[in-house]
């Protein structure tokens, strides 16, 4: 197992120095889902929610969040993202919506945190827009699916 890189030799938290790392094309894909009542799901799916296009607004929120990750996570580096996309998959059988985010950059550090942050904020936005009709929604299974680029190369969830 690798050592924790956000601690210096004396155990103090610090921002990792990525100044000497080469720029490489980096990609991260993350996912998560939100479960809701069938009535809530039907409102989102049909676009009849009185607040408007829930998934469209959640998509924009996720993209915005990915760009603000370093403002939210103290030791993350600010990144120049080259691409962020969010795809929602609606599952009528269990009244859930999955969100998958792909984040990309060319730089000295990865985009895993940006992809994960985008998923979380997109799901939170769905919750926020629908909480008036369903406070019992559950967000779950947020995880990194894969990443590529950099010294550690490719990684995929097992």
């Amino acid at each position: 197992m690798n050592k924790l890189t956000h601690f210096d030799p004396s155990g103090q938290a610090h921002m990792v120095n990525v100044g000497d790392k080469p720029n490489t094309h980096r990609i991260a894909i993350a996912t998560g889902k939100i479960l809701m009542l069938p009535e809530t799901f039907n409102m989102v799916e049909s676009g009849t929610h009185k607040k408007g296009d829930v998934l469209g607004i959640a998509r924009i929120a996720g993209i915005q969040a990915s760009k603000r990750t370093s403002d939210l996570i103290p030791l993350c580096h600010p990144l120049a993202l080259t691409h962020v996309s969010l795809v929602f998959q609606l599952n009528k059988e269990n009244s859930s919506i999955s969100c998958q985010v792909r984040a990309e950059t060319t730089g000295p550090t990865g985009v895993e945190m940006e992809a994960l942050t985008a998923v979380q904020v997109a799901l939170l936005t769905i919750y926020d827009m629908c909480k008036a009709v369903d406070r019992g929604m559950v967000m779950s299974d947020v995880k990194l699916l894969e990443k590529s680029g950099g010294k550690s190369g490719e990684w995929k969830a097992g």
Side-chain angles (χ1 to χ4, degrees):
M1 180 177 280
N2 294 330
K3 65 179 182 129
L4 297 175
T5 58
H6 285 93
F7 295 96
D8 67 18
S10 65
Q12 300 297 311
H14 73 106
M15 187 178 214
V16 175
N17 184 350
V18 297
D20 293 333
K21 293 172 71 176
N23 286 341
T24 62
H25 183 230
R26 296 165 183 269
I27 300 170
I29 300 173
T31 190
K33 70 180 174 181
I34 185 166
L35 292 100
M36 58 192 65
L37 294 172
E39 298 79 20
T40 309
F41 179 87
N42 290 336
M43 272 197 252
V44 174
E45 181 182 43
S46 66
T48 59
H49 194 292
K50 68 179 182 178
K51 288 189 176 181
D53 180 8
V54 172
L55 298 182
I57 294 167
R59 182 176 292 107
I60 297 300
I63 292 168
Q64 284 184 312
S66 70
K67 296 188 293 184
R68 302 289 306 267
T69 299
S70 66
D71 292 336
L72 301 169
I73 311 296
L75 300 177
C76 281
H77 293 83
L79 299 183
L81 295 168
T82 57
H83 180 75
V84 177
S85 63
L86 280 81
V87 176
F88 295 103
Q89 187 87 38
L90 283 72
N91 184 333
K92 195 168 191 78
E93 285 183 26
N94 67 0
S95 301
S96 70
I97 300 170
S98 296
C99 175
Q100 183 171 299
V101 173
R102 178 185 175 104
E104 297 184 42
T105 191
T106 298
T109 190
V111 290
E112 297 92 343
M113 295 306 298
E114 287 71 15
L116 288 162
T117 299
V119 167
Q120 291 279 32
V121 170
L123 296 176
L124 284 168
T125 300
I126 293 169
Y127 185 95
D128 181 52
M129 293 186 72
C130 297
K131 70 182 184 280
V133 295
D134 186 359
R135 293 198 191 279
M137 290 174 283
V138 176
M139 291 164 274
S140 66
D141 301 324
V142 175
K143 61 185 174 185
L144 183 67
L145 293 176
E146 60 184 84
K147 61 81 64 192
S148 65
K151 186 172 136 184
S152 64
E154 292 191 21
W155 177 88
K156 290 189 181 196

